[in-house]
Amino acid sequence: MAFYYPEPSHTFSEYLLVPGFTSEECIPDNVSLKTPLVKYRKGEEDCPISLNIPMVSAIMQAVSNDTLAVALAKEGGLSFIYGSQSIEDEAAMVRRVKSSKAGFVISASNLTPDATLADVLALKEKNGFSTVAITEDATPTGKLLGLVTSRDYRITRMSTDIPVREFMTPREKLITAPAATTLKEANDIIWDNKLNALPVVDDQDHLMYFVFRKDYAEHKEHPLALQDADKRYLVGAGINSKDYAERVPALVEAGADVLCIDSSEGYSVWQKKTIDFIREKYGDTVKVGAGNVVDREGFRYLARAGADFVKVGIGGGSICITRETKGIGRGQASALIEVAAARDEYYKETGVYVPICSDGGIVFDFHMTLALAMGADFLMLGRYFARFDESPTNKLMVNGAYVKEYWGEGSNRARNWQRYDLGGKNDLAFEEGVDSYVAYAGSLHDNVEKSLYKVKSTMCNCGVINIPDLQKNAKLTLVSATSIVEGGYHDVTLRTTGGGQ
Ligand code: IMP
């Protein structure tokens, strides 16, 4: 007879936290959100890689490119660059993150001199940046030919088909800095010459970075930035269980700090084979996460296979239709609670702590706190990050409001068949994700700061100031459908709209 779980499976919104005693030390400024990313042994001083905030960005085309990776690493989190692209392109994104240093930014908007004012405006609309590098081949590291900023054109006076070469500030008029310039020196040049952006070029006059006036101050404001010993940002990369023999070496060579097998269902021999390949070739020096699983058995299989962390969640993603299409999955809260218990049990048995990541389904900021309280060591978010300036997708105006595009890896748009394929035809036979819009929400920094402030405040209400204590001491209660109604405003008529999230 089939196995039946005795209880229905639950998700985040069906739970609430019950406050604990708040002492004088429980204030948001005292809260540390530091958390382990990869496994470590009992008694080891420090986890080999820790996050400074418990957030990683989803392995998705619409979420994790190099721009978002740098922005998130500045806050103390980590991106996993999407694997549903060619090995060369993924490695190039990793390389760009690793070659961008704090305060030095790889150019995000690039055109050739043959582009038009219309192209400049379209690029600005698309990614929000007003400085456009004009390079020989429109790449961020091409030979520098000029610069366009909003000071170079007036939309009211100029035709939009005028070529860039006619109004850009040409190379010979640009003040630039050589490759070896330090951030302090760059900042001095910016102030002495009243610049907004300083291009840094190599000895062949290829563009390497920009240093922006606004970023210098901002750089000082990122005490939690996640960096390696050479002050380069940490970055992860998605791999799959098909082409790992080629993809893994390319990503390791590009400098990826941690890998993650990206699969919709990870309790499979293919994940073990992928980990075996990595262990044989690199031993423990290359870190790799695995998943996704939703129960104890799945966790134990991947932990024993040698995964450095295990990702939890099937069917809860905002763009996900796996449960509707295939009838597999589990409420995210139930999955997390069971897997967290399995992780603790495994730690007791073996002395190895394998962190778990709650992947998908975080809608409200309080879901973050709940997921951590339920035992997650860190959270993977897709929709959340897709809404920000730094995500790779287009910002569009739809029905009078700005939106960003967001599509699932199992949608026809992404065609990430490696994530779903179990052999047979190498193509998506059916979709497991949708192509959608999400409300545009501004900059990553502002949003992450606000969300985590809420998490910290709630932790203080629970009487804890770090994640391990939240996991140990949180008191969670299931709520009835009727008390969910009680939780929103009720029996009043709103005078103004807004508030809430
Ligand atoms: P979100 O944060 O709720 O948007 O969920 C993001 C997560 O959904 C990702 O990290 C993946 O685990 C999962 N996911 C991404 N694309 C798809 C898809 O097309 N179908 C099902 N799940 C997906």
Side-chain angles (χ1 to χ4, degrees):
M1 193 184 133
F3 173 76
Y4 289 91
Y5 280 90
E7 293 289 328
S9 70
H10 295 288
T11 193
F12 296 129
S13 288
E14 293 171 78
Y15 283 89
L16 286 174
L17 282 156
V18 175
F21 172 67
T22 305
S23 68
E24 273 175 352
E25 66 160 0
C26 290
I27 54 168
D29 281 355
N30 285 346
V31 174
S32 160
L33 293 177
K34 193 169 172 178
T35 190
L37 175 70
V38 295
K39 70 181 175 198
Y40 62 92
R41 296 200 148 269
K42 204 181 234 166
E44 262 176 9
E45 282 287 286
D46 250 329
C47 170
I49 311 178
S50 294
L51 300 167
N52 291 329
I53 61 170
M55 287 179 161
V56 300
S57 67
I59 313 169
M60 297 175 72
Q61 294 173 2
V63 180
S64 296
N65 70 348
D66 43 316
T67 311
L68 190 112
V70 169
L72 181 53
K74 278 185 188 171
E75 303 304 320
L78 181 106
S79 287
F80 285 92
I81 302 290
Y82 61 92
S84 52
Q85 58 180 326
S86 74
I87 294 174
E88 298 70 39
D89 288 350
E90 187 180 11
M93 279 193 182
V94 168
R95 218 171 272 121
R96 285 207 288 276
V97 180
K98 294 310 288 183
S99 59
S100 73
K101 294 183 292 176
F104 291 82
V105 180
I106 294 177
S107 176
S109 295
N110 310 286
L111 292 171
T112 68
D114 297 329
T116 60
L117 177 56
D119 296 323
V120 171
L121 298 174
L123 209 53
K124 188 175 173 201
E125 174 72 14
K126 184 177 158 199
N127 61 24
F129 303 124
S130 54
T131 303
V132 182
I134 309 303
T135 59
E136 206 168 43
D137 53 4
T139 65
T141 52
K143 198 170 168 47
L144 183 65
L145 302 178
L147 205 64
V148 171
T149 69
S150 31
R151 289 185 194 169
D152 294 308
Y153 55 84
R154 285 179 80 176
I155 309 169
T156 45
R157 301 244 177 122
M158 285 160 66
S159 148
T160 51
D161 53 15
I162 182 168
V164 162
R165 67 173 73 255
E166 290 183 22
F167 63 92
M168 68 183 188
T169 306
R171 172 68 188 91
E172 58 277 13
K173 291 205 178 142
L174 288 178
I175 295 169
T176 62
T181 310
T182 64
L183 190 56
K184 160 123 195 27
E185 289 162 352
N187 190 49
D188 289 343
I189 301 173
I190 286 173
W191 282 93
D192 292 347
N193 296 282
K194 299 193 164 80
L195 303 176
N196 282 324
L198 173 70
V200 178
V201 292
D202 67 13
D203 51 12
Q204 312 281 310
D205 215 29
H206 286 93
L207 180 62
M208 297 176 72
Y209 311 104
F210 280 115
V211 179
F212 291 102
R213 174 194 286 260
K214 63 175 174 41
D215 280 359
Y216 183 73
E218 196 200 304
H219 164 61
K220 290 185 167 170
E221 286 165 15
H222 287 118
L224 295 179
L226 204 62
Q227 293 169 333
D228 61 22
D230 298 323
K231 295 257 174 262
R232 302 177 310 169
Y233 294 117
L234 257 49
V235 64
I239 59 170
N240 63 72
S241 53
K242 309 276 165 192
D243 64 10
Y244 52 82
E246 295 85 46
R247 194 172 289 267
V248 170
L251 295 171
V252 170
E253 206 261 325
D257 295 284
V258 53
L259 306 175
C260 184
I261 309 171
D262 179 27
S263 170
S264 65
E265 198 278 290
Y267 184 12
S268 83
V269 69
W270 309 112
Q271 300 243 332
K272 178 167 163 27
K273 283 179 189 258
T274 309
I275 299 171
D276 285 347
F277 168 83
I278 292 174
R279 294 293 171 245
E280 264 162 44
K281 198 168 163 65
Y282 303 100
D284 273 339
T285 56
V286 169
K287 306 294 179 195
V288 58
N292 286 11
V293 298
V294 287
D295 69 357
R296 174 178 178 272
E297 278 174 56
F299 171 83
R300 287 180 77 83
Y301 179 79
L302 293 179
R304 286 200 184 115
D308 282 292
F309 64 85
V310 172
K311 227 149 44 78
V312 182
I314 296 179
S318 57
I319 32 47
C320 178
I321 51 170
T322 297
R323 293 183 196 168
E324 286 172 20
T325 327
K326 286 164 90 182
I328 61 165
R330 195 172 182 196
Q332 185 64 8
S334 299
L336 204 49
I337 291 166
E338 181 172 319
V339 175
R343 174 205 52 206
D344 294 346
E345 176 193 29
Y346 189 80
Y347 182 50
K348 258 194 211 131
E349 277 170 29
T350 63
V352 179
Y353 188 89
V354 182
I356 60 171
C357 167
S358 176
D359 177 16
I362 300 269
V363 180
F364 303 113
D365 292 335
F366 77 85
H367 287 170
M368 298 182 192
T369 327
L370 281 172
L372 295 168
M374 287 168 184
D377 294 287
F378 58 98
L379 320 167
M380 178 170 270
L381 307 110
R383 189 198 63 87
Y384 179 82
F385 288 117
R387 301 171 304 148
F388 304 152
D389 289 320
E390 294 83 351
S391 81
T393 69
N394 293 318
K395 179 176 149 195
L396 308 166
M397 178 73 91
V398 173
N399 297 335
Y402 277 117
V403 295
K404 296 257 310 185
E405 298 169 304
Y406 180 45
W407 60 92
E409 287 294 292
S411 70
N412 245 321
R413 182 161 180 187
R415 304 202 72 73
N416 181 359
W417 65 265
Q418 290 99 330
R419 191 170 192 269
Y420 301 91
D421 181 48
L422 290 169
K425 255 199 326 167
N426 291 345
D427 209 348
L428 281 173
F430 48 87
E431 289 183 287
E432 287 193 38
V434 297
D435 187 358
S436 67
Y437 296 129
V438 287
Y440 165 70
S443 82
L444 181 142
H445 169 79
D446 292 351
N447 284 279
V448 166
E449 188 174 60
K450 198 164 129 200
S451 297
L452 293 183
Y453 192 78
K454 281 195 210 161
V455 171
K456 289 177 180 178
S457 304
T458 311
M459 286 171 67
C460 292
N461 296 142
C462 294
V464 297
I465 54 171
N466 60 54
I467 292 174
D469 282 350
L470 178 68
Q471 292 167 336
K472 243 183 280 147
N473 301 332
K475 292 183 283 182
L476 290 141
T477 179
L478 260 175
V479 288
S480 69
T482 320
S483 64
I484 291 176
V485 176
E486 182 188 59
Y489 61 80
H490 57 92
D491 304 306
V492 294
T493 307
L494 285 193
R495 285 165 55 131
T496 53
T497 53
Q501 266 290 294

